[in-house]
């Protein structure tokens, strides 16, 4: 694997290889890379989890991190993303972890550069390492994906997590249902009533309402959205006892999920964050060791 930009590109075998490697890191500890590799993290959109856990993973496997501050880079003087990437390639970077607001920013890059590109989230497009850590968390819980009922509820049309997870989970044999206001469904078929799905779902994955990507005034107050589309305490009480709650975070408390459910026994939200380090280490190792 030269780059990781979309879950569409991964075969089931490649997904399982990454999950297996992450499980080994988790069980036996991280392994240092066999050579010297340099990595830069370029975040053109805010991030807490993804940026920090990539950096933690890079340190754990012994990659050298070259700092890059987007707010002090020559992109502010108008330098294009392509020229920025070619410059970092010329300096000698092996891999670039990039988050960017443009959907598919990587399309103009991957065939024109020799540096490995790892997509850390592109606009409303894809978030492959979030999807892989979600899969890892689900696999830890249920052992396999075949026949699992996964409900993804929230701001679907703006969600790169929904897009990546729909691709991956369906490829692995899970049944994915989307729940959202009809006008937020994007290209997906969706339901808008919890009664149809809450008692049968194995995984209830909430998505953040992405206020920053809505061009128009929200049609719902926070309380109205929570009441109609959020995971309320009453709805959580109707979940199967072995079902789990997930959320990629950051969370709007009491909007897509009730505040008190975030650290409830069925929640795996902080487990997802923890698993992100193992997954990102596995992805980096696979890509860096494969460098020619
Ligand atoms: N889940 C996720 O991508 O979080 P950050 O935006 O904090 O990286």
């Amino acid at each position: 694997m030269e780059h990781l930009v979309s879950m569409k590109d991964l075969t089931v075998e490649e997904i399982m290889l990454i999950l297996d490697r992450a499980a080994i890191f988790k069980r036996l500890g991280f392994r240092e890379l066999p050579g010297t590799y340099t990595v830069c993290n370029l975040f053109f959109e805010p991030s807490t989890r993804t940026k920090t856990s990539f950096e933690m993973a890079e340190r754990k496997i012994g990659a050298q991190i070259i700092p890059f501050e987007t707010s002090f880079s020559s992109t502010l003087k108008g330098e294009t993303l392509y020229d920025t990437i070619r410059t970092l390639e010329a300096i000698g970077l092996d891999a670039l972890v990039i988050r960017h607001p443009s959907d598919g920013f990587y399309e103009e890059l991957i065939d024109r550069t020799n540096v490995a590109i790892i997509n850390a989230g592109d606009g409303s497009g894809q978030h492959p390492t979030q999807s892989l850590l979600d899969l890892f968390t689900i696999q830890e819980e249920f052992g396999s994906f075949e026949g699992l009922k996964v409900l993804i509820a929230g701001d679907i049309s703006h969600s790169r997590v929904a897009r990546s997870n729909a691709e991956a989970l369906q490829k692995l044999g899970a049944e994915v249902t989307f729940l959202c206001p009809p006008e937020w469904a994007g290209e997906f078929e969706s339901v808008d009533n919890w009664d149809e799905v809450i008692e049968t779902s194995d995984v209830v994955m909430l998505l953040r309402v992405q206020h920053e990507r809505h061009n128009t005034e929200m049609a719902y107050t926070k309380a109205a959205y929570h009441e109609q589309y959020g995971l309320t305490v009453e709805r959580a009480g109707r979940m199967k006892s072995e079902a789990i709650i997930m959320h990629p975070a950051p969370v709007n408390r009491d909007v897509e999920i009730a505040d008190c459910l975030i650290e409830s026994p069925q929640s795996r939200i902080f487990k997802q964050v923890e698993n992100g380090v193992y997954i990102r280490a596995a992805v980096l190792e696979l890509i860096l060791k494969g460098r020619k």
Side-chain angles (χ1 to χ4, degrees):
M1 196 166 75
E2 261 181 272
H3 308 282
L4 175 61
V5 293
S6 168
M7 289 305 284
K8 281 188 197 137
D9 302 334
L10 291 188
T11 61
V12 168
E13 291 70 31
E14 285 170 323
I15 292 173
M16 297 317 290
L17 182 74
I18 293 167
L19 301 191
D20 288 350
R21 192 63 181 153
I24 289 173
F25 284 153
K26 188 164 183 176
R27 204 169 61 246
L28 303 176
F30 293 95
R31 278 285 179 84
E32 293 253 331
L33 290 162
T36 304
Y37 297 93
T38 49
V39 182
C40 222
N41 302 308
L42 289 72
F43 279 69
F44 296 94
E45 274 191 342
S47 169
T48 296
R49 276 145 288 271
T50 312
K51 186 168 190 286
T52 313
S53 72
F54 261 114
E55 197 163 322
M56 180 64 90
E58 288 152 8
R59 286 168 195 250
K60 292 283 187 189
I61 61 170
Q64 292 186 358
I65 303 167
I66 305 295
F68 184 95
E69 289 300 329
T70 48
S71 54
F72 289 97
S73 73
S74 288
T75 56
L76 295 187
K77 301 178 210 163
E79 188 163 42
T80 64
L81 184 61
Y82 173 72
D83 287 337
T84 304
I85 283 15
R86 291 283 290 120
T87 300
L88 295 173
E89 179 188 348
I91 287 168
L93 268 294
D94 290 297
L96 305 177
V97 175
I98 306 177
R99 171 170 288 187
H100 199 277
S102 303
D103 290 16
F105 73 82
Y106 48 82
E107 280 161 12
E108 61 152 358
L109 305 176
I110 52 176
D111 294 330
R112 297 166 76 198
T113 175
N114 190 34
V115 64
I117 295 190
I118 301 173
N119 179 7
D122 62 296
S124 300
Q126 288 275 323
H127 195 347
T129 58
Q130 177 70 45
S131 175
L132 287 163
L133 74 88
D134 291 343
L135 297 178
F136 186 46
T137 306
I138 293 169
Q139 187 193 43
E140 277 191 326
E141 201 69 36
F142 298 101
S144 72
F145 301 93
E146 195 64 44
L148 273 187
K149 292 187 190 311
V150 180
L151 175 68
I152 303 181
D155 193 352
I156 308 292
S157 60
H158 292 105
S159 177
R160 51 200 178 203
V161 178
R163 228 153 253 119
S164 291
N165 272 334
E167 296 278 348
L169 284 162
Q170 283 162 355
K171 220 180 274 193
L172 292 164
E175 277 177 44
V176 181
T177 303
F178 296 100
L179 184 150
C180 60
E183 64 275 22
W184 292 5
E187 69 269 34
F188 300 104
E189 272 184 35
S190 64
V191 297
D192 72 347
N193 186 340
W194 283 91
D195 292 335
E196 298 176 39
V197 285
I198 191 61
E199 288 165 12
T200 52
S201 296
D202 299 297
V203 176
V204 177
M205 184 182 294
L206 291 317
L207 298 175
R208 184 172 69 88
V209 178
Q210 299 193 38
H211 298 283
E212 73 277 19
R213 298 192 205 276
H214 285 265
N215 296 324
T216 50
E217 185 86 357
M218 276 267 289
Y220 307 90
T221 62
K222 289 178 180 179
Y225 183 87
H226 184 62
E227 193 47 43
Q228 202 171 342
Y229 294 107
L231 185 64
T232 59
V233 173
E234 185 276 328
R235 287 178 185 130
R238 291 160 60 200
M239 286 171 58
K240 292 202 264 189
S241 58
E242 66 277 21
I244 61 170
I245 298 169
M246 298 177 71
H247 192 310
V251 175
N252 295 308
R253 287 176 179 259
D254 286 328
V255 181
E256 59 267 4
I257 178 169
D259 179 289
C260 65
L261 297 175
I262 292 169
E263 294 187 67
S264 65
Q266 282 173 286
S267 170
R268 298 293 177 271
I269 295 173
F270 287 99
K271 177 69 70 186
Q272 289 172 264
V273 178
E274 179 196 337
N275 284 343
V277 181
Y278 301 110
I279 282 292
R280 289 173 176 128
V283 167
L284 285 159
E285 183 194 60
L286 185 65
I287 288 178
L288 290 171
K289 280 172 77 174
R291 296 274 296 160
K292 296 184 186 75

